[in-house]
Amino acid sequence: MESLLSLSFDYLSSFDGVKIRKGLRQLEGLLAQICLTRRQSSTATSPISERDRRRSIIYDEGASGRTEKAGCKNLANLGEDPAFCEFFKLQEGFEWNVALRLVSCLERLLGKGSNGQNDLLLISTLDLLHGILLIHPPSRSLFARDLYMNLLLDLLDPSSCPAIQSTAILTLVTALLDRPLNTRCFEKLDGLLTVTSLFKARGTSREVKMKLVEFLYFYLMPETPSGGETRGKSDVNEHSGWTRSPSKVEVGGRDVGDEGGTRSTEEKQGLLGRYLSNVEDMVEDLKESAPFGASFG
């Protein structure tokens, strides 16, 4: 597994789009092998037909040649899978952490400007980053740092294509999931201004606006501290201006550090209310629907 990761990382560190695409496909193939289970006959009376077996095979250009896709493994059972355990353990270290390599790749791709092929690479990189943050939650801690959070916010620029904006929103949700420190970093870097400005922009597509509304509902949900994060309310930081600083400029010269902690829905309502006028109605909708079993005290 280390050799495959090493080869993929070499490709991802390239400035050649063809090599970057190859590295992304190899990582995608590795994650598919880890997260997909092979269809097997449990008894002699229920064999898999040759036709079904052929249809379950997906040919890939990666080192493995092909992977068999017969269905997803249960997430709760992944911890019992030796391959997943080995992969998860490798992610705990700097050398083999996939999320770190993907955000570095994002940074290089952003520096190349916008064109059709580069946009496709950005979307593929975001898709993989979204997935790795789901199967390895500790990697989300990367986005408590200004540099990496700013990368996601830069992708929500109105000049980005709708597909990039939509994929970046999904990745941002995963980066903030169960990570109050990351949410505080998002707020400090004027993330709410970025999201609401894109929502209000006339050129923003309807699909992107729907995803932005869903993101804002997610943002307003009650927070619970994740492992190692401190409970308690934090002071509301005042923004120095109404224009978000892009990632090319340092914001405050430091990361969010110990400024984290949870905020209540009411506190976040006050922050979001600076940019939108109907936040109170959104909070009432949340309290009535209580998505994901959320409890509003």
Side-chain angles (χ1 to χ4, degrees), residues 6-268:
S6 178
L7 184 59
S8 301
F9 292 167
D10 286 343
Y11 286 134
L12 290 181
S13 64
S14 172
F15 286 90
D16 184 348
V18 174
K19 291 183 178 179
I20 292 175
R21 186 181 299 109
K22 190 170 184 178
L24 292 173
R25 287 180 176 177
Q26 287 184 342
L27 282 178
E28 184 179 1
L30 174 62
L31 295 179
Q33 289 183 15
I34 292 173
C35 297
L36 298 177
T37 184
R38 294 185 176 184
R39 188 193 300 264
Q40 293 182 347
S41 174
S42 57
T43 66
T45 59
S46 58
I48 302 300
S49 69
E50 180 64 18
R51 178 188 177 191
D52 288 341
R53 188 191 68 80
R54 288 196 304 268
R55 292 181 63 183
S56 72
I57 296 176
I58 299 177
Y59 288 93
D60 185 76
E61 293 183 8
S64 62
R66 70 183 187 183
T67 56
E68 291 184 16
K69 180 179 178 181
C72 295
K73 295 176 183 175
N74 189 308
L75 186 60
N77 296 329
L78 273 178
E80 302 173 3
D81 185 275
F84 177 80
C85 290
E86 180 185 357
F87 176 79
F88 198 95
K89 185 177 180 180
L90 289 174
Q91 297 313 291
E92 298 297 296
F94 170 84
E95 183 178 4
W96 303 112
N97 187 269
V98 173
L100 185 59
R101 305 297 179 134
L102 290 174
V103 293
S104 297
C105 183
L106 275 180
E107 188 174 14
R108 287 192 300 276
L109 290 172
L110 273 171
K112 296 176 67 174
S114 179
N115 61 67
Q117 292 301 315
N118 199 61
D119 288 350
L120 290 175
L121 290 176
L122 280 168
I123 293 169
S124 297
T125 305
L126 285 168
D127 276 336
L128 272 176
L129 182 59
H130 179 209
I132 197 66
L133 294 179
L134 286 173
I135 66 176
H136 187 254
S139 288
R140 298 174 197 166
S141 61
L142 287 171
F143 294 93
R145 300 186 60 187
D146 293 359
L147 173 64
Y148 300 134
M149 181 59 70
N150 253 322
L151 285 175
L152 294 182
L153 297 180
D154 282 351
L155 289 165
L156 296 180
D157 189 272
S159 64
S160 298
C161 73
I164 289 178
Q165 293 168 345
S166 296
T167 314
I169 294 168
L170 292 176
T171 307
L172 180 60
V173 168
T174 313
L176 300 185
L177 187 62
D178 294 330
R179 288 296 186 276
L181 277 175
N182 299 8
T183 307
R184 304 292 81 79
C185 182
F186 166 80
E187 294 164 344
K188 185 185 70 167
L189 298 178
D190 288 331
L192 289 173
L193 174 61
T194 300
V195 169
T196 53
S197 296
L198 182 60
F199 177 76
K200 295 176 182 178
R202 296 182 63 180
T204 303
S205 70
R206 184 175 182 275
E207 178 185 357
V208 171
K209 287 190 175 185
M210 290 296 295
K211 290 188 181 300
L212 289 170
V213 170
E214 292 171 353
F215 171 81
L216 292 176
Y217 275 110
F218 163 78
Y219 168 77
L220 288 169
M221 288 178 62
E223 295 178 359
T224 55
S226 61
E229 294 189 359
T230 307
R231 287 183 179 271
K233 298 178 181 178
S234 59
D235 296 332
V236 176
N237 298 321
E238 296 294 333
H239 294 286
S240 58
W242 290 92
T243 304
R244 190 184 73 81
S245 301
S247 61
K248 290 77 181 175
V249 181
E250 291 186 6
V251 182
R254 59 193 177 90
D255 294 336
V256 68
D258 295 330
E259 296 175 10
T262 60
R263 280 200 174 119
S264 66
T265 294
E266 288 71 24
E267 288 174 312
K268 292 191 286 186

